[in-house]
């Protein structure tokens, strides 16, 4: 569903910096993939390019065979709303709106009927265990609950691809496990395709596959077999081999 071919990103004019140096990656329908690597390795740059937040210097990004970077600004805005779901470290929720209003925001922007929005928000909120929070303001709920709201907003329009950037970065261990369990559940039960950047090996252990980026290059990848603890240990070993765990955290 996502095909990335020889993706490069260069910043600067006189002092050029090559953030990505020819990334190739195929993401199949229903995969849950983690992207890991040292700080400054190009992880977030890669995610921003897939999200059309930034433009590649060269190479291709194809989502279901189409290149979103060939669209005009209006079409790109519609593409983000309709085909992508976003989950951020900082939640990116609007504090002046209620939980319900935050969740339905993508549908509101698309001019969806109120009756449809009411039905869909009830369904997704119940599924994510936040049905009792719909009338609360964001300031009235916990960080873990806020991230559940962010996941609900990302999923309400059933996007082709969910992009998560350090989704557990501002959460305690219990909330992190809850949110990652939720993403894993959405992946397994609803076949949501998820691409997640993370520094956290525990969060990464919920993925099916981890790709490691270092110095702008995809250097290695590993797949989970069945045992999550064994996968966690394997991730720790890979991080130590690539950069040294002490430098990573």
């Amino acid at each position: 569903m996502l095909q990335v071919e020889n993706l490069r990103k260069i910043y600067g004019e006189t002092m050029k910096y090559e953030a990505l140096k020819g990334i190739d990656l195929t993401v199949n329908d229903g995969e849950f993939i983690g992207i890991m690597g040292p700080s400054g390795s190009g992880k977030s740059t890669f995610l921003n390019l897939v999200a059309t937040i930034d433009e590649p210097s060269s190479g291709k990004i194809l989502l279901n065979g189409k290149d979103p970077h060939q669209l005009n600004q209006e079409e790109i805005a519609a593409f983000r709303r309709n085909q992508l779901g976003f989950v951020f470290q900082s939640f990116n929720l609007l504090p002046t709106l209620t939980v319900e209003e935050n969740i339905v925001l993508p549908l509101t922007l698309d001019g969806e009927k109120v009756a449809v929005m009411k039905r869909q928000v009830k369904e997704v909120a119940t599924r994510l265990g936040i049905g009792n929070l719909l009338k609360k303001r964001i300031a009235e709920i916990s960080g873990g609950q806020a991230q559940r709201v962010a996941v609900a907003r990302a999923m309400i329009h059933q996007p082709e691809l969910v992009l998560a950037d350090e989704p557990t970065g501002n959460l305690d261990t219990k909330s992190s496990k809850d949110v990652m369990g939720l993403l894993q559940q959405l992946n397994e039960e609803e076949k949501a395709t998820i691409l997640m950047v993370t520094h956290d090996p525990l969060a990464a252990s919920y993925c099916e596959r981890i790709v490691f980026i270092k110095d702008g290059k995809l250097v290695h990848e590993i797949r989970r077999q069945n045992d999550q603890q064994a996968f966690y240990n394997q991730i720790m070993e890979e991080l130590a081999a690539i950069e040294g765990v002490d430098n990573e955290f």
Side-chain angles (χ1 to χ4, degrees), residues 12 25 30 37 39 46 50 57 62 109 117 135 147 149 161 168 170 192 198-199 203 211 214 228 245:
L25 180 67
S39 295
F46 176 76
V50 173
S57 299
L62 302 174
L109 293 171
M117 290 194 287
K135 300 305 178 185
Q147 196 59 295
V149 174
L161 178 64
T168 62
N170 284 336
T198 184
H199 275 89
V211 296
K214 182 178 181 181
Q228 185 177 357
V245 174

Side-chain angles (χ1 to χ4, degrees), residues 12-30:
E13 294 297 328
T14 52
M15 295 287 288
K16 291 187 177 181
Y17 169 66
E18 194 170 16
L20 293 179
K21 304 172 181 176
I23 298 284
D24 293 301
L25 180 67
T26 299
V27 178
N28 296 316
D29 275 332

Side-chain angles (χ1 to χ4, degrees), residues 12-244:
E13 294 297 328
T14 52
M15 295 287 288
K16 291 187 177 181
Y17 169 66
E18 194 170 16
L20 293 179
K21 304 172 181 176
I23 298 284
D24 293 301
L25 180 67
T26 299
V27 178
N28 296 316
D29 275 332
E31 276 200 289
F32 188 176
I33 296 181
I35 303 171
M36 302 191 80
S39 295
S41 60
K43 304 184 300 295
S44 291
T45 297
F46 176 76
L47 206 67
N48 286 341
L49 294 177
V50 173
T52 67
I53 292 169
D54 204 352
E55 285 284 327
S57 299
S58 62
K60 283 187 178 180
I61 298 171
L62 302 174
L63 188 63
N64 291 324
K66 297 180 180 179
D67 184 351
H69 289 277
Q70 300 300 314
L71 304 174
N72 63 39
Q73 287 303 308
E74 187 176 330
E75 291 169 334
I76 283 178
F79 165 77
R80 289 178 192 152
R81 288 199 308 272
N82 299 327
Q83 297 190 49
L84 301 180
F86 296 94
V87 183
F88 301 94
Q89 176 178 342
S90 56
F91 315 143
N92 278 30
L93 301 171
L94 298 176
T96 57
L97 301 182
T98 64
V99 165
E100 181 176 15
E101 289 165 341
N102 269 281
I103 293 173
V104 300
L105 193 58
L107 302 182
T108 304
L109 293 171
D110 267 346
E112 186 58 85
K113 293 178 181 177
V114 172
V116 174
M117 290 194 287
K118 289 283 187 185
R119 184 181 72 248
Q120 289 187 226
V121 74
K122 185 177 180 181
E123 288 175 1
V124 72
T126 300
R127 197 162 69 242
L128 302 190
I130 52 174
N132 61 328
L133 303 178
L134 291 177
K135 300 305 178 185
K136 290 184 178 290
R137 303 277 175 188
I138 300 304
E140 299 175 303
I141 64 177
S142 70
Q145 290 170 330
Q147 196 59 295
R148 280 177 172 261
V149 174
V151 172
R153 181 187 58 190
M155 295 299 302
I156 193 166
H157 57 300
Q158 299 176 316
E160 299 280 348
L161 178 64
V162 175
L163 301 175
D165 192 0
E166 302 284 3
T168 62
N170 284 336
L171 303 179
D172 59 33
T173 301
K174 182 186 181 304
S175 295
S176 295
K177 288 181 177 179
D178 287 346
V179 167
M180 291 311 305
L182 181 62
L183 289 174
Q184 186 180 51
Q185 179 186 340
L186 291 169
N187 169 253
E188 292 176 351
E189 294 181 6
E190 302 195 25
K191 308 305 179 190
T193 307
I194 305 172
L195 194 59
M196 177 182 73
V197 164
T198 184
H199 275 89
D200 181 0
L202 178 60
S205 70
Y206 286 81
C207 299
E208 296 174 81
R209 176 161 59 120
I210 306 292
V211 296
F212 295 90
I213 295 179
K214 182 178 181 181
D215 298 328
K217 297 178 180 178
L218 201 160
V219 293
H220 193 47
E221 70 172 58
I222 56 175
R223 290 181 180 271
R224 180 162 60 114
Q225 301 306 315
N226 285 312
D227 190 312
Q228 185 177 357
Q229 181 62 50
F231 194 43
Y232 172 84
N233 294 338
Q234 189 180 4
I235 292 166
M236 293 292 285
E237 290 171 7
E238 293 292 337
L239 290 173
I242 289 170
E243 182 67 15

